[in-house]
Amino acid sequence: HLWPEFFEHRNNRVAIDDVEIGISCADLHRQVHRETGAVAAPSIHNTQPWRFEVDGADVWLRADTGRQLVHVDPEGRSMLVSCGAALLNLQVAAEHFGYEPTTQLLPDTGDPLVVARVALSGRDARSGMAGALYDAIALRHTHRGPFEDRPLPQSVQSALIDAAAAEGAELRLVTDPHELGRIVQLIH
């Protein structure tokens, strides 16, 4: 268990990697694991450009522009994608520990750095998918090598499309070389 290295007490609150958390001692262990799961999310050059703030049963995710790589990511797109990865890890870990996360993306708070608000409530049953995804958080690692130039198996494509739909998104896999070229032009 690595969790003791990730928190310190500040008055009657707990800070994990500079994350302020007001919790009871009984919930400390679960809270720390939930937060360190989110902290393990992939991010642009491992900058972890996010901050979590816990206010009662709400967890607020904010972009941390102090960790933004302005020369590589001047518009903050990669920073925001990194925040999305941290948000997913938080949701998965919360479900794993028996909480029901209700997420509001980009809530209108007047603060442009607020990416999401996650309200946590208790529940009886745990999602089977949350357990499998939670276990995968610890397996994440950086890969800087080349990728194989071969199509994804149809079963993997279908699983990715279903996973996107479960999150309320649509995934469209682009394989046409002309379309790929247009996308590359848009990115660069």
Side-chain angles (χ1 to χ4, degrees), residues 115-175:
V115 176
R117 175 182 150 277
V118 181
L120 302 175
S121 59
R123 63 182 187 155
D124 295 329
R126 293 185 180 144
S127 163
M129 182 62 113
L133 290 176
Y134 182 79
D135 292 342
I137 290 172
L139 302 176
R140 188 201 74 77
H141 63 279
T142 300
H143 174 75
R144 288 188 167 76
F147 293 97
E148 293 182 27
D149 186 15
R150 63 183 174 98
L152 289 174
Q154 185 60 43
S155 61
V156 174
Q157 292 180 32
S158 296
L160 290 170
I161 290 168
D162 291 346
E167 292 295 322
E170 179 183 344
L171 174 63
R172 184 169 159 243
L173 300 173
V174 179
T175 57

Side-chain angles (χ1 to χ4, degrees), residues 25-56:
C25 290
D27 290 336
L28 176 61
H29 189 73
R30 288 194 313 183
Q31 185 75 39
V32 171
H33 277 286
R34 185 170 61 247
E35 291 298 334
T36 56
V39 170
S43 61
I44 181 172
H45 295 287
N46 293 322
T47 55
Q48 299 180 344
W50 56 75
R51 288 283 180 244
F52 292 98
E53 297 173 12
V54 177
D55 181 16

Side-chain angles (χ1 to χ4, degrees), residues 15 36 38 41 52 56 59 74 76 97 105 107 114 123 162-164 172 179 181 186:
T36 56
F52 292 98
V59 180
F97 287 107
L105 294 175
V114 174
R123 63 182 187 155
D162 291 346
R172 184 169 159 243
E179 277 190 87
L186 287 172

